[in-house]
Amino acid sequence: MKIVIIGGVAGGASTATRLRRMDEKAEIILIERGEYISFANCGLPYHIGEVITDREKLLVVTPQKLKETSNIEARVRHEAISIDRNKKIIKLRELATGREYSESYDKLVLSPGASPIIPPVEGAGLPGVFTLRSMTDMDRINSFLLEAKPTRAVVVGGGFIGLEIAENLQHRGLQVTIIEMLNQVMAPIDYEMAAMVHQHLQFKRIRLSLGDGLKSIHAEKLLKVALNSGKIVETDLVILSVGVRPESILAKDAGLDLGARGAIIVNEHLQTSDPDIYALGDAVEVKNLISGKPANLPLAGPASKQARVAADHIAGRPSIFKGVQGTSIVKIFDLTVACTGLNSRQLDEFGLPYKNALIHSSNHAGYYPGASPMAFKLLFSPEGKLYGAQLVGLEGVDKRIDVISTAIHSGATVYDLEELELAYAPPYGSSRDPVNIIGFLAGNMLRGDLKSVNWNEVDKMDRNLNVFLDVREPEELTLGHISDSLNIPLGQLRERIKEIPRSKRVIVYCQVGQRGYFGARILMQLGFDAVNLNGGFKTYSHAVGEQSNFDTFENVSISSREEIQEIAPFNMENTNEFTLDACGLQCPGPILKLYNKTKEVNPGDIITVKATDFGFTSDVEAWADRTGNKVLSIGSEGGVITARIQKGVEKKEEKSTAAMSQDKTMVIFSGDLDKAIAAFIIANGAAAMGHKVTMFFTFWGLNLLRKVNPPKVKKNLVEKMFSFMMPRGAEKTKLSQMHMAGMGTEMIKMIMKKKNINSLPELIQSARDNGVILQACQMTMDLMGINKEELLDGIDIVGVATMINASDDSNATIFI
Ligand code: FAD
């Protein structure tokens, strides 16, 4: 049997060698238009980036080697130009000479791949504008890098190849701009997952433009890349990576059936509409195993598996290729991004009802060094059938995506994920692997144990019908919060349940979703209509935040791999340096650890924090911004983020700048126990977030500051009456409601004690320890005849003007 194979790389070369293993006697001829066969196209971007330094390593097999080892004749620089199906002849052209000749075949295999799409815009063919598919393309780009010494590059297209090239060009010292027409990079994953990639690209100093297409390219001194919005990017080099198109012209001209997107239609044996012609790889349309719809998946894995099936079938075996499910993975700087199955957009398009679970989990036990978080999204049917998964993380993403891919392939459900027995020891995983955890979460949803809402529903919700409950600790609020949320830390939820309106649906959230789930379960069991925010505030904040940095990007040339931009610390004498290891802690762990450390050190001291939670890169900047500290530098190497933070110094002159003050002023008018507790909880919370808090006590509120056993002071009759009738100090205050002759008040105090909640005197002391300024109203003291000696020591006695001054400097004045 004589078999001619067109295309000598991933699919073609694999078909040839498998065929030889199946049929020692067959005559096998491999035709390749390019200069090389069987090269590693997937490695091309990494040679450009000098990660794979030895070019020869990309050449897996040479024609000579193929002849020696497999007795296969490979003809490079030969192009197939037409097929005569009746005569079973293929016409070939020798590119070096232009000679045309024919070759007969018994079976013909087409593995011509897919060619990069060149957008039909002016300037796409200019010098300095490239695509990347072959070794020759790679060599051209490398020569340009060496000869023209460009400093800037524009990558058009934010798919797999575009992102790999962007990373590798930056590795070569170029400043890279990515232009993407969609509102996200990495189209196979959902928007909120891509948002984490956007953050990371920005952190890595990639200039990112989303939702804006390429209009034209002009050559002046430099290349000027014009976008549809009218924006212009100046650059030295452009890489076009806007997708690929099946190379099906040969098949089309031969009258073979093509699909809607121009890919060659094949059956499960990879036979085209002509049973003697097989086709495979990037050029064909196969079945999507989940949707059952036609799919064209230009990836190496399917191509090489199809090669085996086609070769087996030619050799007389009944092998079949069932279809694809779209499993892929890509490295984007420190991140690994992977997906399998269908995404939300495809499920919507196919009209398949689905649910999703989103977790942020550690790759292995948090206590074992080097743990890092991964965002993990699972899509499944209301019956539990697995539809797809997406992961973004530093480590362990490859393992989880392959587990889910295998589960989908074997028809498993979310309930199977709960049961999967996965390998565990602290360096590799957790006793409840993220795969199990996402199975539990999905199972909870399907069993009705948990209802959830997604990040994109939050801003549309009617606040008359919904209330947001933030169950994070007050310190975490520095990371941002959903507006008009009620903050009750999870540990206080049961005691403070009365603060939550029963008339509304309660949307519970925490940073990553786990405490939100616990909170939602408490509320559901207490009869509330409670739901959890899927993926927590972290997912929401990433997704609603600014995704592009095109307009704000500083035009800094990157001359080395170092992305740490050092800001000079402010000039301080006796500055001490501290280190803090927050590796392995999940958000908000690193921030809380840093916050506690800043409390221990002096203003001006510098803390170098190491963390592996990649959300820390944006969190630390937001936190520092809000707490008056300064991020001196931030960078990452091998997934470990290093940030240098200088503890802030209050600078008087800065108060008058345009920056919004975070100070809080509270006017305490009431002397009721419940209101006083609320006031001091708020004050302590605000102080913990680094806000300056001033509490001005007036009228009945002043009683809170009275000593229980004051020294004897001289008073007139009316003053004595007031002194006697009014409660003396925090211990003596009563509830505003349900005092019940003292029973209610005593009960509350008892419950607070039992639940380990600080008493009012303790809350007052803690506020004072946290630097809250307590002011007594001079006018009230005069009116009621209260003397300075009767008040707690160290209270400022001030007039209204002082309070008004404090209020002017604040961004909120609270009246209780
Ligand atoms: P190809 O491997 O492209 O081979 C087709 C060959 O056919 C070409 O060399 C072409 O010159 C030749 N040819 C076409 N027409 C003719 C003709 N008329 N006559 C003679 N010869 C012809 N996939 C992954 O899964 N993971 C990755 O990380 C990954 N990275 C990639 C990075 C880059 C830069 C590129 C370009 C691709 C990457 N891919 C990756 C995709 C993967 O390389 C392809 O899916 C795979 O090579 C497809 O195999 P194929 O045989 O269909 O086509």
Side-chain angles (χ1 to χ4, degrees):
M1 184 159 45
K2 181 174 176 185
I3 302 117
V4 178
I5 301 168
I6 309 302
V9 190
S14 304
T15 310
T17 49
R18 174 72 182 172
L19 254 174
R20 173 56 71 230
R21 290 194 290 275
M22 294 293 103
D23 187 349
E24 185 56 23
K25 292 192 182 131
E27 182 185 356
I28 307 169
I29 302 172
L30 192 62
I31 305 294
E32 169 54 49
R33 187 175 53 198
E35 279 182 53
Y36 306 94
I37 57 159
S38 197
F39 63 86
N41 2 31
C42 310
L44 302 179
Y46 297 97
H47 183 57
I48 292 175
E50 294 178 333
V51 176
I52 300 172
T53 46
D54 186 354
R55 181 181 178 281
E56 297 308 301
K57 284 204 169 146
L58 298 174
L59 298 169
V60 184
V61 177
T62 59
Q64 294 77 356
K65 221 173 184 123
L66 200 62
K67 184 72 189 162
E68 283 165 27
T69 56
S70 303
N71 188 25
I72 293 165
E73 185 189 345
R75 297 180 198 159
V76 292
R77 304 268 294 136
H78 284 245
E79 183 176 27
I81 46 180
S82 65
I83 305 166
D84 184 335
R85 287 169 49 198
N86 292 327
K87 293 188 185 154
K88 295 182 89 171
I89 281 174
I90 182 146
K91 200 173 202 186
L92 304 169
R93 183 185 293 132
E94 188 178 18
L95 295 177
T97 59
R99 175 179 71 98
E100 291 187 4
Y101 65 101
S102 296
E103 199 70 66
S104 65
Y105 65 82
D106 296 314
K107 301 284 178 194
L108 180 66
V109 180
L110 304 178
S111 187
S115 52
I117 295 171
I118 312 279
V121 299
E122 186 187 341
L126 283 169
V129 181
F130 300 91
T131 55
L132 178 61
R133 179 188 183 185
S134 63
M135 293 286 287
T136 313
D137 296 337
M138 178 191 76
D139 292 340
R140 278 196 207 115
I141 295 171
N142 265 335
S143 304
F144 186 84
L145 289 172
L146 288 173
E147 285 154 24
K149 301 201 174 0
T151 59
R152 281 169 294 184
V154 167
V155 175
V156 183
F160 294 91
I161 295 179
L163 293 171
E164 284 182 350
I165 296 174
E167 175 180 346
N168 281 286
L169 286 175
Q170 199 196 70
H171 219 250
R172 285 285 287 258
L174 277 77
Q175 181 206 307
V176 181
T177 301
I178 297 177
I179 308 291
E180 169 55 60
M181 197 168 68
L182 300 176
N183 64 352
Q184 67 167 86
V185 299
M186 288 292 298
I189 62 172
D190 289 342
Y191 181 82
E192 72 274 30
M193 302 295 281
M196 295 178 212
V197 181
H198 301 160
Q199 285 268 341
H200 191 64
L201 288 171
Q202 295 188 19
F203 172 64
K204 289 291 177 179
R205 304 192 65 74
I206 293 287
R207 188 186 196 188
L208 184 59
S209 170
L210 297 169
D212 203 353
L214 169 71
K215 191 175 175 206
S216 57
I217 308 169
H218 303 273
E220 292 177 17
K221 255 192 191 160
L222 307 148
L223 291 173
K224 289 199 169 181
V225 179
L227 308 187
N228 289 335
S229 62
K231 289 174 185 161
I232 305 278
V233 198
E234 292 190 343
T235 186
D236 310 303
L237 165 70
V238 177
I239 307 280
L240 300 174
S241 54
V242 297
V244 293
R245 185 176 286 129
E247 275 220 40
S248 53
I249 187 76
L250 202 59
K252 187 180 174 206
D253 290 348
L256 299 176
D257 291 348
L258 303 186
R261 294 192 187 113
I264 307 166
I265 295 178
V266 289
N267 66 14
E268 57 187 5
H269 304 300
L270 284 319
Q271 287 165 300
T272 65
S273 47
D274 179 336
D276 289 325
I277 304 180
Y278 290 74
L280 53 104
D282 289 0
V284 301
E285 181 179 285
V286 287
K287 189 167 85 174
N288 181 296
L289 288 171
I290 303 161
S291 67
K293 310 264 185 221
N296 169 237
L297 186 69
L299 289 175
S304 59
K305 279 171 217 101
Q306 289 161 6
R308 189 179 167 90
V309 169
D312 281 2
H313 198 255
I314 292 169
R317 298 195 175 196
S319 301
I320 57 167
F321 183 79
K322 290 183 191 148
V324 293
Q325 63 188 52
T327 307
S328 62
I329 191 160
V330 63
K331 173 183 177 304
I332 304 172
F333 292 95
D334 297 343
L335 292 185
T336 303
V337 179
C339 60
T340 187
L342 302 177
N343 59 31
S344 300
R345 190 179 33 77
Q346 290 166 317
L347 288 163
D348 287 336
E349 195 180 307
F350 299 140
L352 293 170
Y354 64 96
K355 289 177 176 289
N356 80 89
L358 206 166
I359 59 168
H360 297 271
S361 218
S362 276
N363 64 324
H364 60 59
Y367 57 81
Y368 188 83
S372 61
M374 57 175 80
F376 191 166
K377 181 170 182 179
L378 187 75
L379 298 138
F380 49 95
S381 78
E383 294 75 38
K385 179 183 171 185
L386 296 174
Y387 278 154
Q390 304 163 20
L391 281 130
V392 178
L394 295 175
E395 301 275 343
V397 163
D398 49 350
K399 165 169 153 174
R400 275 64 189 210
I401 203 68
D402 283 346
V403 171
I404 302 288
S405 171
T406 310
I408 293 179
H409 189 82
S410 58
T413 65
V414 297
Y415 306 112
D416 293 310
L417 299 188
E418 293 180 302
E419 290 175 14
L420 281 184
E421 188 179 312
L422 300 171
Y424 161 62
Y428 305 105
S430 304
S431 54
R432 287 143 62 106
D433 192 88
V435 169
N436 299 130
I437 292 174
I438 206 151
F440 297 148
L441 179 58
N444 284 340
M445 289 177 177
L446 293 180
R447 293 185 188 101
D449 293 336
L450 180 69
K451 288 188 274 182
S452 67
V453 293
N454 296 318
W455 69 271
N456 52 357
E457 297 170 66
V458 168
D459 292 342
K460 297 178 206 151
M461 274 180 205
D462 184 345
R463 300 305 173 105
N464 294 316
L465 305 175
N466 299 285
V467 61
F468 283 90
L469 175 64
D470 186 334
V471 293
R472 296 174 299 168
E473 299 300 315
E475 297 91 313
E476 295 174 63
L477 304 186
T478 49
L479 301 175
H481 60 273
I482 295 170
S483 60
D484 299 330
S485 297
L486 196 60
N487 175 224
I488 304 179
L490 183 66
Q492 300 173 16
L493 190 55
R494 290 181 181 89
E495 290 74 36
R496 294 175 59 189
I497 210 83
K498 288 222 167 91
E499 295 171 39
I500 306 165
R502 283 188 177 269
S503 56
K504 296 184 181 184
R505 183 170 69 149
V506 187
I507 320 295
V508 191
Y509 73 93
C510 63
Q511 191 63 18
V512 297
Q514 192 185 32
R515 283 170 293 167
Y517 158 55
F518 296 159
R521 283 299 300 156
I522 293 173
L523 294 181
M524 283 171 83
Q525 292 180 72
L526 293 176
F528 284 84
D529 180 8
V531 301
N532 184 31
L533 175 60
N534 217 349
F537 182 74
K538 183 173 181 174
T539 303
Y540 167 81
S541 59
H542 274 104
V544 300
E546 192 57 57
Q547 307 294 313
S548 295
N549 61 351
F550 187 85
D551 297 321
T552 53
F553 188 84
E554 291 164 55
N555 206 7
V556 193
S557 69
I558 294 169
S559 53
S560 74
R561 291 181 53 192
E562 186 72 305
E563 68 264 353
I564 295 182
Q565 292 287 308
E566 184 78 26
I567 296 172
F570 36 89
N571 202 7
M572 299 277 310
E573 279 170 17
N574 304 323
T575 288
N576 296 308
E577 296 258 356
F578 297 87
T579 56
L580 193 65
D581 183 3
C583 290
L585 293 181
Q586 270 240 42
C587 175
I591 285 291
L592 292 182
K593 199 163 180 182
L594 174 60
Y595 165 67
N596 286 326
K597 188 75 190 170
T598 53
K599 286 200 291 191
E600 290 168 18
V601 306
N602 293 320
D605 285 348
I606 294 170
I607 304 167
T608 301
V609 194
K610 288 200 182 297
T612 43
D613 177 358
F614 59 88
F616 182 68
T617 55
S618 51
D619 287 351
V620 71
E621 303 219 40
W623 174 84
D625 210 35
R626 290 191 186 131
T627 50
N629 299 298
K630 193 170 182 181
V631 178
L632 301 178
S633 69
I634 182 156
S636 72
E637 193 67 60
V640 178
I641 300 149
T642 305
R644 292 185 78 227
I645 290 103
Q646 187 168 33
K647 178 164 174 168
V649 184
E650 221 195 327
K651 289 191 231 147
K652 288 259 181 302
E653 64 279 8
E654 283 187 2
K655 292 211 95 180
S656 59
T657 62
M660 170 99 83
S661 156
Q662 295 294 316
D663 296 359
K664 306 277 177 276
T665 303
M666 301 175 74
V667 179
I668 315 299
F669 172 83
S670 166
D672 295 333
L673 176 65
D674 41 353
K675 292 175 188 166
I677 290 173
F680 277 98
I681 285 175
I682 296 170
N684 277 308
M689 288 165 67
H691 300 176
K692 184 180 163 195
V693 184
T694 305
M695 297 177 87
F696 179 78
F697 293 83
T698 185
F699 231 84
W700 311 119
L702 196 62
N703 290 321
L704 299 168
L705 300 185
R706 290 176 70 190
K707 285 178 184 157
V708 184
N709 296 310
K712 275 207 171 324
V713 285
K714 231 177 132 192
K715 294 193 178 202
N716 63 31
L717 186 66
V718 181
E719 288 170 351
K720 274 187 187 156
M721 261 176 62
F722 263 119
S723 259
F724 177 73
M725 285 175 353
M726 289 189 310
R728 204 178 275 162
E731 303 262 26
K732 306 280 182 198
T733 52
K734 300 171 188 165
L735 283 178
S736 61
Q737 293 174 34
M738 294 175 62
H739 175 58
M740 299 184 297
M743 253 170 60
T745 301
E746 284 315 307
M747 264 169 64
I748 280 286
K749 287 184 182 171
M750 234 170 63
I751 294 169
M752 283 173 68
K753 199 166 173 191
K754 215 167 142 196
K755 304 274 178 183
N756 270 338
I757 299 173
N758 283 347
S759 65
L760 180 56
E762 284 166 338
L763 284 169
I764 295 176
Q765 190 52 51
S766 135
R768 301 187 78 178
D769 293 345
N770 284 329
V772 173
I773 300 166
L774 305 185
Q775 296 178 335
C777 170
Q778 176 75 66
M779 188 273 296
T780 310
M781 288 175 72
D782 292 347
L783 191 77
M784 298 190 173
I786 297 176
N787 288 296
K788 188 173 189 280
E789 298 76 47
E790 291 176 83
L791 297 182
L792 299 174
D793 295 331
I795 303 290
D796 297 342
I797 297 167
V798 301
V800 173
T802 309
M803 185 278 284
I804 296 291
N805 262 345
S807 171
D808 283 348
D809 285 346
S810 307
N811 71 343
T813 300
I814 302 161
F815 197 88
I816 294 179

